[in-house]
Amino acid sequence: MLNEITAALEKAFPELPVYYGSSAEATGKKIYDYIVFYRERMSWKNGSMGDPSVYYKVALVHQNYIPEDEQTTVIDALRGIPGLKESGDVSFDYMTQPGTQLALEAAIYTFVAARKRLPARVVTLDG
């Protein structure tokens, strides 16, 4: 799923770097417009140990503000991935780029995908 998300975001936003897990690399290169995504959590319905759902967060970050026409592009791009759907509202967060006075706006999206459990591995004590 991580490769599919990366590919969809890179295709929808060819001018923006896409990072997984952390945008520390963007800070070091003084890049102020980028996308970062990560796995937020894994949960099971009603406490069962069936197939889990994996939640992903995607943050679209721009200096000053995110253009309105880009705000729905993330959803449109990721809707094309089988098994992945948007979950909930889009929230906005604001920060100052470290070491600068530049304001950054981040639109934060949540997506969820059901994940089929792999068969359990059998571990033996004899080797």
Side-chain angles (χ1 to χ4, degrees):
M1 184 63 69
L2 301 178
N3 291 334
E4 289 91 342
I5 293 172
T6 300
L9 292 171
E10 287 175 341
K11 182 177 180 183
F13 296 94
E15 72 285 359
L16 298 180
V18 176
Y19 302 105
Y20 175 73
S22 169
S23 61
E25 187 176 339
T27 302
K29 292 181 179 177
K30 298 191 183 324
I31 297 171
Y32 306 119
D33 298 343
Y34 57 88
I35 298 172
V36 61
F37 75 99
Y38 56 93
R39 284 183 279 218
E40 180 188 34
R41 70 184 189 277
M42 187 181 323
S43 67
W44 289 262
K45 278 194 172 197
N46 303 324
S48 74
M49 291 306 286
D51 293 337
S53 293
V54 180
Y55 289 80
Y56 300 89
K57 290 283 190 181
V58 177
L60 173 61
V61 181
H62 273 282
Q63 182 178 340
N64 295 326
Y65 63 91
I66 298 167
E68 289 184 14
D69 62 327
E70 288 187 18
Q71 293 175 6
T72 57
T73 304
V74 171
I75 294 170
D76 294 339
L78 297 186
R79 273 188 182 152
I81 298 175
L84 187 68
K85 62 181 182 175
E86 65 268 19
S87 174
D89 299 329
V90 176
S91 62
F92 291 87
D93 198 7
Y94 300 87
M95 62 204 106
T96 302
Q97 181 70 17
T100 73
Q101 296 297 313
L102 299 175
L104 302 178
E105 180 178 64
I108 302 169
Y109 305 79
T110 303
F111 292 87
V112 62
R115 189 173 95 182
K116 295 289 182 188
R117 289 176 50 136
L118 298 173
R121 293 186 324 169
V122 176
V123 178
T124 61
L125 298 177
D126 60 344

